[in-house]
């Protein structure tokens, strides 16, 4: 057993079939319908994708489907299209012209609605504005904004003229903006005076001013006025968005761009290492975003669809902007924090706007659990019909809470597994066709061929933990790391030549369902058991007092590594010695004595990346009493680390 790459200790066996009322209405309504399409997509990928590509609007249909020179892929060669045209003009030419494309709610409470026609006009204006600044096809444009409609408009305007956008999450500081702009050699940055966050103003323009001092390539800064804090405007370089669009025509002819025209760069640091500029291109990415949104969310024209991600992450790119808009959906977009002015805010939004599809992250769900169910219980959430999760393995108990408290035991949950690099969802249940098991992302999406491998490249057995790869190219895969083909090769294709390595550990169960066990870097070896920390965390989260847990390994003379658990309690529970002992026992009972943590520390929060993933690398340092080393620029709340150390000294 000890030769396993990772040993699975999960005890989760619950299964929830698709509700009949849901399945009977769904676009893919049975396991057989899924299986037939899936088999076709794997047996005849070229035929399958040629057919699927017809759902996009092309100026010139593609002559070829795939050119694969491992690890470099080209999809839909010879084809020409415009992504913004697919998201906007196409719907404006239909009955959807006056349908709401974006319903936006600001943190202070105001609401703005853009119909498809209005959104097209705004995008055309800004496309013309960018061109008036000299931005051309292939130029890079930085977007450093909060969750305002102009952020989506700026992305679509770039896509329209063929400029490559690089969105930098508005929670990053000047250095992160500087490094990303320099790596991409951006010509222009779009920003805001400030962004609202939990009632205060984050001064974005100030950060841009600092960053741009050291970005010689940046010639223009465009500023949306949102918070009306004082800003300095540098003549010749800085322009107000409002001044530019006022002068700009609302008509803009979308040029036909090559299928492989670069669409965006998005930097991902993951939880380790120097940020990589993941590059996506036009047609394959769009098709992936379009198709997954359509089937995974079983999208219908009447839906109000809300993905709570920030536009600065890939989830915001694919599932706030490109996926839903290419489907002609109504997208809910919210500017602020979930607890502004109080922890009811999300539930209020669902009630007020009749949200029917809700897509969020495990970190948010665990926070809701911590705050308590009294907040969602005060609101009418009956408009919801489907819920999703993305970003980390979801702890089965958090999944159960989500299903019961938010979904009223009625809504299917899609646990969608994917990455910045995959461009769109690669594994997920289809809500009308595939049963869900809490904590499993279930089965591959069409055209995706995932495998769990042992270190030697052979396929792992049933329930044997191993390394998760995708062994065939797919349309929305990244094409390279910006400016660094070598890094693309070594990072993703060197471990198993010709196969894409995700960096995650996983196992496949007796039904062929996949269970992602977390980043392979987080595996801990205790007395010869190689354990994924996520499963031990899930055991802790299954205890009624625990909202969130982070488990790391530290060196131990006796066992090789020993486990240290950081635990955040639900707001009604208090740390105590007996609770500490009870939690140790709980893990020993749930998993086995070998997994009993050496130490449990109570913490009011654990450090996370800004996209909400637990940063175990930093916790390892804290657990060993070391200063945190390495890159902390993506850390959500630096104060968390300081507080964890204080506990140590108590
Ligand atoms: C993790 C976010 C388990 C995984 C779209 C992956 C998940 C990384 C899931 C990518 C899931 C994402 N179950 N793990 N449903 N979704 N992950 O690039 O470790 O921010 O490799 O993309 O998040 O994170 P990224």
């Amino acid at each position: 057993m000890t030769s396993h790459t990772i040993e699975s200790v999960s005890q989760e066996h619950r299964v929830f079939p698709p509700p009949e009322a849901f399945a009977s209405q769904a676009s893919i309504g049975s396991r057989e319908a899924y299986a037939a399409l899936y088999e076709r997509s794997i047996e005849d990928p070229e035929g399958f994708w040629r057919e699927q590509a017809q759902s996009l609007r092309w100026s010139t249909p593609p002559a070829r489907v795939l050119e694969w020179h491992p690890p470099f892929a080209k999809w839909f060669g010879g084809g020409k299209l415009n992504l913004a045209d697919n998201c906007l003009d196409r719907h404006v030419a239909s009955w959807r012209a006056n349908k709401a494309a974006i319903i936006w709610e600001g943190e202070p409470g105001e609401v703005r609605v853009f119909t498809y026609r209005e959104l097209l006009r705004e995008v055309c204006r800004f496309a013309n504005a960018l061109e008036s600044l000299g931005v051309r096809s292939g130029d890079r444009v930085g977007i450093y904004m909060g969750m305002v409609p102009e952020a989506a408009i700026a992305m679509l305007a770039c896509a329209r003229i063929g400029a490559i956008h690089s969105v930098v999450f508005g929670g990053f500081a000047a250095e992160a903006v500087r490094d990303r702009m320099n790596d991409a050699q951006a010509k222009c940055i779009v920003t805001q005076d400030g962004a609202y966050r939990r009632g205060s103003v984050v001064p974005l323009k100030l950060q841009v001013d600092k960053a741009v001092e050291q970005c010689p390539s940046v010639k223009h800064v465009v500023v949306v006025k949102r918070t009306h804090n004082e800003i300095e405007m540098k003549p010749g370089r800085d322009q107000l968005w409002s001044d530019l669009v006022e002068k700009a025509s609302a008509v803009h002819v979308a040029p036909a761009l090559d299928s492989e025209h670069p669409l965006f760069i998005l930097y991902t640091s993951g939880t380790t290492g120097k940020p990589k500029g993941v590059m996506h291109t036009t047609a394959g990415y769009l098709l992936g975003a379009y198709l997954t949104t359509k089937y995974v969310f079983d999208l219908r024209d009447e839906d109000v669809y809300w993905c709570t991600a920030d536009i600065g992450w890939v989830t915001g790119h694919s599932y706030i902007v490109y996926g839903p808009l290419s489907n002609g959906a109504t997208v809910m977009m919210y500017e602020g924090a979930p607890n502004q002015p109080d922890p009811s805010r999300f539930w209020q939004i669902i009630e007020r706007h009749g949200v029917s599809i809700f897509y969020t992250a495990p970190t948010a769900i665990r926070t809701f659990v911590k705050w308590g169910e009294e907040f969602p219980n005060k609101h009418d959430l009956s408009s919801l019909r489907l819920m999703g999760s993305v970003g980390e393995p979801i702890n089965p108990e958090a999944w159960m809470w989500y299903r019961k408290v938010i979904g009223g035991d009625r809504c299917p949950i899609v646990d969608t597994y994917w990455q910045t690099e995959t461009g769109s969802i690669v594994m997920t249940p289809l809500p009308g066709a595939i049963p869900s098991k809490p904590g499993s992302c279930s089965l591959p999406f069409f055209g995706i061929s995932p495998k769990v491998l042992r270190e030697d490249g052979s396929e792992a057995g049933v329930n044997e933990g191993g390394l998760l790869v995708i062994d065939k190219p797919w349309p929305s895969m990244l094409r390279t790391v910006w400016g660094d083909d070598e890094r693309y090769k070594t990072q993703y294709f060197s471990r198993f030549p010709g196969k894409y390595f995700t960096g995650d550990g996983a196992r496949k169960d007796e039904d062929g369902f996949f269970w992602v066990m977390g980043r392979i870097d987080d595996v801990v070896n205790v007395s010869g058991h190689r354990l994924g920390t996520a499963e031990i965390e899930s055991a802790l989260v299954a205890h009624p007092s625990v909202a969130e847990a982070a488990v790391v390994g530290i060196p131990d003379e006796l066992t090789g590594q020993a486990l240290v658990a950081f635990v955040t309690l639900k707001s009604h529970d208090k740390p105590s010695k007996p609770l500490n002992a009870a939690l140790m026992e709980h893990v020993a009972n749930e998993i086995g004595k070998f997994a009993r943590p050496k130490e449990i520390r109570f913490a009011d929060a654990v450090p996370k990346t800004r996209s909400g993933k637990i940063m175990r690398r930093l916790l390892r340092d804290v657990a060993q009493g070391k200063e945190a080393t390495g890159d902390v620029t993506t850390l959500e709340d630096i104060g968390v680390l300081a507080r964890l150390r204080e506990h140590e000294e108590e």
Side-chain angles (χ1 to χ4, degrees):
M1 289 301 274
T2 53
S3 66
H4 284 179
T5 306
I6 330 173
E7 191 173 324
S8 175
V9 293
S10 163
Q11 304 285 337
E12 184 53 57
H13 295 292
R14 288 169 285 202
V15 184
F16 296 87
E20 222 170 273
F22 193 101
S24 63
Q25 306 276 318
S27 53
I28 299 184
S30 70
R31 181 78 182 257
E32 295 69 41
Y34 158 78
L37 265 172
Y38 180 72
E39 265 160 43
R40 164 108 212 281
S41 76
I42 294 299
E43 274 156 25
D44 175 20
E46 299 227 356
F48 175 82
W49 287 116
R50 181 177 298 113
E51 212 169 279
Q52 295 301 324
Q54 288 171 15
S55 52
L56 303 181
R57 183 153 93 162
W58 298 88
S59 318
T60 310
R64 299 171 290 283
V65 179
L66 170 66
E67 293 150 85
W68 178 226
H69 305 287
F72 297 99
K74 286 187 182 156
W75 284 88
F76 307 117
K80 285 182 187 291
L81 78 178
N82 186 288
L83 191 148
D85 170 76
N86 273 274
C87 289
L88 300 168
D89 310 56
R90 189 181 185 182
H91 305 306
V92 171
S94 78
W95 67 267
R96 292 195 185 92
N98 293 318
K99 175 178 173 174
I102 296 180
I103 303 175
W104 175 83
E105 187 169 310
E107 192 179 80
E110 72 272 51
V111 173
R112 290 169 73 187
V113 179
F114 293 80
T115 63
Y116 273 93
R117 193 195 304 281
E118 287 166 336
L119 191 61
L120 172 61
R121 259 193 224 127
E122 295 307 316
V123 168
C124 287
R125 282 211 175 89
F126 196 60
N128 283 319
L130 284 173
E131 285 181 339
S132 75
L133 295 176
V135 176
R136 298 285 172 260
S137 180
D139 286 345
R140 274 77 60 205
V141 175
I143 298 179
Y144 176 62
M145 303 176 81
M147 288 286 288
V148 292
E150 287 83 356
I153 293 168
M155 289 165 73
L156 287 158
C158 287
R160 190 170 188 93
I161 66 175
I164 304 167
H165 60 67
S166 169
V167 183
V168 179
F169 173 58
F172 281 124
E175 301 74 51
V177 178
R178 177 197 63 200
D179 295 348
R180 285 158 175 74
M181 293 305 116
N182 282 337
D183 188 72
Q185 289 291 295
K187 195 170 194 176
C188 170
I189 302 187
V190 187
T191 189
Q192 292 166 233
D193 48 0
Y196 285 117
R197 192 65 193 176
R198 211 158 295 153
S200 58
V201 171
V202 184
L204 296 181
K205 173 66 163 63
L206 194 69
Q207 299 297 321
V208 168
D209 288 340
K210 274 195 224 161
V212 171
E213 272 173 31
Q214 295 171 46
C215 299
S217 65
V218 174
K219 305 289 182 240
H220 302 282
V221 176
V222 180
V223 185
V224 172
K225 279 213 165 188
R226 169 67 184 135
T227 48
H228 301 280
N229 49 316
E230 208 172 307
I231 51 169
E232 264 176 50
M233 294 291 283
K234 189 170 167 188
R237 186 194 71 184
D238 300 354
Q239 318 248 11
L240 288 181
W241 172 292
S242 52
D243 290 347
L244 284 173
V245 299
E246 201 186 334
K247 287 181 270 181
S249 156
V251 177
H252 179 277
V253 179
L257 300 170
D258 287 337
S259 291
E260 284 293 338
H261 188 82
L263 173 64
F264 68 81
I265 306 169
L266 186 57
Y267 287 83
T268 169
S269 50
T271 36
T272 46
K274 172 181 172 268
K276 305 179 280 283
V278 167
M279 192 190 87
H280 283 284
T281 57
T282 302
Y285 170 82
L286 174 61
L287 185 57
Y290 168 82
L291 216 60
T292 48
T293 309
K294 178 175 160 143
Y295 289 129
V296 176
F297 299 108
D298 186 48
L299 209 55
R300 290 198 220 138
D301 263 312
E302 315 81 273
D303 279 314
V304 178
Y305 162 96
W306 183 21
C307 164
T308 69
D310 192 280
I311 232 163
W313 309 120
V314 75
T315 307
H317 285 52
S318 301
Y319 298 109
I320 296 177
V321 182
Y322 297 123
L325 294 180
S326 58
N327 275 283
T330 294
V331 177
M332 177 74 220
M333 187 172 169
Y334 169 55
E335 178 179 40
N339 56 349
Q340 178 65 22
D342 72 45
S344 280
R345 187 61 183 270
F346 272 20
W347 323 123
Q348 246 169 32
I349 291 175
I350 291 176
E351 184 171 3
R352 185 178 307 145
H353 301 284
V355 171
S356 55
I357 302 174
F358 180 65
Y359 187 30
T360 194
T363 178
I365 297 167
R366 293 186 304 249
T367 306
F368 305 146
V369 172
K370 182 177 164 189
W371 287 338
E373 52 185 87
E374 59 265 34
F375 298 102
N377 285 350
K378 277 188 289 194
H379 294 275
D380 177 6
L381 305 180
S382 61
S383 58
L384 289 175
R385 65 179 195 95
L386 172 65
M387 307 186 303
S389 167
V390 59
E392 283 178 293
I394 181 166
N395 317 98
E397 275 335 298
W399 192 102
M400 292 301 294
W401 185 96
Y402 191 32
R403 176 181 159 94
K404 176 170 143 267
V405 178
I406 308 303
D409 273 329
R410 168 187 83 248
C411 305
I413 296 177
V414 288
D415 176 359
T416 64
Y417 169 84
W418 61 296
Q419 309 178 300
T420 305
E421 292 86 344
T422 68
S424 56
I425 294 165
V426 292
M427 289 200 274
T428 177
L430 294 183
I434 299 171
S436 357
K437 304 186 183 188
S440 165
C441 59
S442 76
L443 298 176
F445 191 73
F446 306 130
I448 303 294
S449 172
K451 298 270 154 59
V452 179
L453 302 184
R454 300 192 180 110
E455 308 276 353
D456 66 6
S458 61
E459 212 170 325
V462 170
N463 283 323
E464 180 184 338
L467 307 169
L468 180 64
V469 304
I470 303 176
D471 69 0
K472 287 190 172 62
W474 66 100
S476 69
M477 68 191 283
L478 80 164
R479 296 299 190 262
T480 190
V481 171
W482 179 256
D484 199 346
D485 284 351
E486 273 314 305
R487 193 166 179 205
Y488 168 73
K489 283 192 213 163
T490 48
Q491 183 84 35
Y492 303 107
F493 289 91
S494 63
R495 190 138 190 179
F496 304 105
K499 298 181 172 130
Y500 171 81
F501 176 44
T502 61
D504 288 312
R507 71 183 161 97
K508 207 163 131 176
D509 72 12
E510 53 286 353
D511 298 326
F513 276 45
F514 287 82
W515 299 73
V516 173
M517 298 161 78
R519 305 296 298 168
I520 213 73
D521 308 329
D522 292 332
V523 169
V524 176
N525 191 332
V526 185
S527 309
H529 298 276
R530 289 176 49 83
L531 305 172
T533 48
E535 289 185 344
I536 304 159
E537 290 161 5
S538 286
L540 282 161
V541 172
H543 188 280
S545 299
V546 176
E548 181 151 55
V551 170
V552 298
I554 58 168
D556 185 275
E557 280 184 12
L558 209 61
T559 55
Q561 280 184 302
L563 301 175
V564 177
F566 295 81
V567 167
T568 304
L569 298 176
K570 292 184 187 165
S571 50
H572 302 295
D573 289 282
K574 296 273 163 304
S576 70
K577 281 224 163 85
L579 181 56
N580 198 305
L583 292 178
M584 297 239 187
E585 254 338 277
H586 173 78
V587 177
N589 289 336
E590 293 277 302
I591 297 181
K593 289 213 170 64
F594 64 91
R596 184 201 303 266
K598 184 176 186 182
E599 200 185 326
I600 290 183
R601 294 200 201 167
F602 293 110
D604 46 6
V606 296
K608 293 185 184 164
T609 66
R610 292 184 191 253
S611 65
K613 299 187 208 298
I614 296 171
M615 266 193 142
R616 297 181 188 79
R617 179 169 53 85
L618 293 178
L619 285 175
R620 277 198 284 274
D621 293 342
V622 175
Q624 296 177 68
K626 278 196 235 159
E627 278 295 307
T629 50
D631 178 22
V632 291
T633 55
T634 55
L635 190 61
E636 180 198 26
D637 177 3
I638 214 90
V640 167
L641 267 190
R643 287 200 295 281
L644 286 171
R645 267 203 217 90
E646 281 161 26
H647 282 290
E648 215 170 317
E649 274 136 36
E650 269 168 14

